[in-house]
Amino acid sequence: RSSDLANPHTSHCLGCGDIMISSMGDPSGNAKGGFILLDGKTFEVKGNWEKEGEAAPYGYDFWYQLRHNVMMSTEWGVPKVLARSFNPADVAAGHYGHSIHVWDWTTHTRIQTIDLGDDGSIPLEVRFLHNPDAAEGFVGCALGSSVFRFYKTEKGDWAAERVIKIPSKKVEGWMLPEMPSLITDILLSLDDRYMYFSNWLHGDIRQYDIKDTRHPKLVGQVWLGGSIVKGGPVTVVDDPEMNSQPDPLIMKGKRVQGAPQMIQLSLDGKRLYASTSLFSAWDKQFYPDMVKCGSVMLQIDVDTEKGGLKLNRDYFVDFGNEPDGPALAHEIRYPGGDCTSDIWV
């Protein structure tokens, strides 16, 4: 409580040995985007990273790039609001974010806020390119169903441009007449060649070639469940991308509930892993059957030469029978570092 922060989310190790954790709110459940520092050996709280009074209005993820003396942070929403489940009226009421924040790494101060607009609503995961000299990266915007590229301008400040937009699907039998894709996780391969992200409501993972970062090219896609599968309560009445709804996913005799959410890539880029749980309140709202039977982890084989994704049907981790389960598994990490935690200095 000495930090006046709560709802921790992302952790990164710093070069000095400390651990830095982003927060989403204060102890009362209000939005507050600050950062906590832990001693890397004792895990004792050392205090806030940001200067007093510099916390962002919302918090979620962050990534830093030391050679440019910069950190980027993102926004989800007001913790006590989003914990109730998702209500579109809360977006209109201003309880969800739509900006990314630029921080001076040396002074621990917020120097710029970039408003991404409606297409940038709920910017969640943020990734600089892994190349430590790179002055650009991407952020996945959940409700806006968009990916923005952020970059350093010739003037020395930062800007953002939308480079991917997943069209909503017109539907019947759902809470709204149009269903956004809800991009919930995004990652870059270690060689900065490919970008991957999950569409948690639609139910697919996409792979993009990002050799040209301003014009990502779709080269792979795989469907792994979701809200629009055949035989479910939702009927797609207009879809600019597909002619038919995807089939339900059956793995080892079990129908997979939910959809790909958190993702992780092997260091050689050849195996992509996906879990299916987002956040328990939203899991209960959008995928109640997953809450009853537990989440799963899947593995997708990746073509690293030409691009392409293919589900590995021999790999299936079912968290439904875990002790004290069924469990809702979320984050995927490698003990020695991975594509979403390692930052080169």
Side-chain angles (χ1 to χ4, degrees), residues 94-153:
H95 295 316
Y96 287 91
H98 47 79
S99 300
I100 56 175
H101 302 281
V102 186
W103 300 76
D104 185 298
W105 184 257
T106 302
T107 64
H108 302 190
T109 55
R110 187 158 49 99
I111 57 175
Q112 190 180 347
T113 294
I114 304 173
D115 188 338
L116 302 178
D118 291 343
D119 280 343
S121 183
I122 312 185
L124 294 181
E125 308 293 341
V126 61
R127 312 284 184 236
F128 267 99
L129 297 186
H130 293 290
N131 178 355
D133 289 321
E136 61 178 327
F138 299 93
V139 57
C141 302
L143 190 59
S145 302
S146 299
V147 175
F148 279 75
R149 168 184 173 260
F150 59 85
Y151 59 95
K152 192 174 185 179
T153 72

Side-chain angles (χ1 to χ4, degrees), residues 44-274:
E44 294 292 324
V45 176
K46 298 180 67 173
N48 294 54
W49 176 84
E50 75 280 3
K51 287 287 182 65
E52 185 175 355
E54 289 289 333
Y58 297 94
Y60 189 69
D61 194 25
F62 73 100
W63 196 286
Y64 59 87
Q65 198 79 316
L66 294 188
R67 296 186 188 182
H68 294 280
N69 190 43
V70 68
M71 182 179 80
M72 293 285 179
S73 70
T74 63
E75 304 181 328
W76 188 354
V78 179
K80 62 185 178 183
V81 172
L82 62 90
R84 297 195 297 253
S85 72
F86 177 72
N87 185 340
D90 291 328
V91 179
H95 295 316
Y96 287 91
H98 47 79
S99 300
I100 56 175
H101 302 281
V102 186
W103 300 76
D104 185 298
W105 184 257
T106 302
T107 64
H108 302 190
T109 55
R110 187 158 49 99
I111 57 175
Q112 190 180 347
T113 294
I114 304 173
D115 188 338
L116 302 178
D118 291 343
D119 280 343
S121 183
I122 312 185
L124 294 181
E125 308 293 341
V126 61
R127 312 284 184 236
F128 267 99
L129 297 186
H130 293 290
N131 178 355
D133 289 321
E136 61 178 327
F138 299 93
V139 57
C141 302
L143 190 59
S145 302
S146 299
V147 175
F148 279 75
R149 168 184 173 260
F150 59 85
Y151 59 95
K152 192 174 185 179
T153 72
E154 293 183 355
K155 296 187 299 181
D157 62 352
W158 293 80
E161 59 180 353
R162 194 191 73 190
V163 293
I164 298 172
K165 174 67 175 179
I166 307 301
S168 296
K169 302 180 187 298
K170 293 184 179 179
V171 295
E172 294 176 349
W174 198 63
M175 64 184 296
L176 295 171
E178 293 192 4
M179 180 187 292
S181 73
L182 209 76
I183 298 174
T184 52
D185 198 12
I186 180 174
L187 64 77
L188 308 182
S189 60
L190 286 179
D191 60 3
D192 289 331
R193 180 176 176 184
Y194 294 112
M195 171 172 58
Y196 304 84
F197 61 78
S198 55
N199 292 307
W200 192 61
L201 287 178
H202 288 179
D204 62 314
I205 292 177
R206 302 190 182 208
Q207 176 192 27
Y208 286 79
D209 186 313
I210 55 169
K211 289 192 295 292
D212 181 352
T213 55
R214 296 196 67 187
H215 302 95
K217 179 183 177 182
L218 179 65
V219 294
Q221 184 179 23
V222 62
W223 290 89
L224 305 169
S227 298
I228 59 168
V229 294
K230 294 177 182 176
V234 176
T235 300
V236 178
V237 297
D238 186 20
D239 189 340
E241 293 187 310
M242 300 176 62
N243 295 322
S244 62
Q245 295 178 227
D247 293 321
L249 178 60
I250 309 297
M251 294 290 289
K252 298 187 181 297
K254 177 176 179 176
R255 177 167 173 166
V256 172
Q257 306 292 341
Q261 204 283 108
M262 297 306 293
I263 54 178
Q264 188 57 261
L265 187 67
S266 62
L267 301 185
D268 62 5
K270 295 182 178 180
R271 296 172 306 283
L272 185 69
Y273 299 88

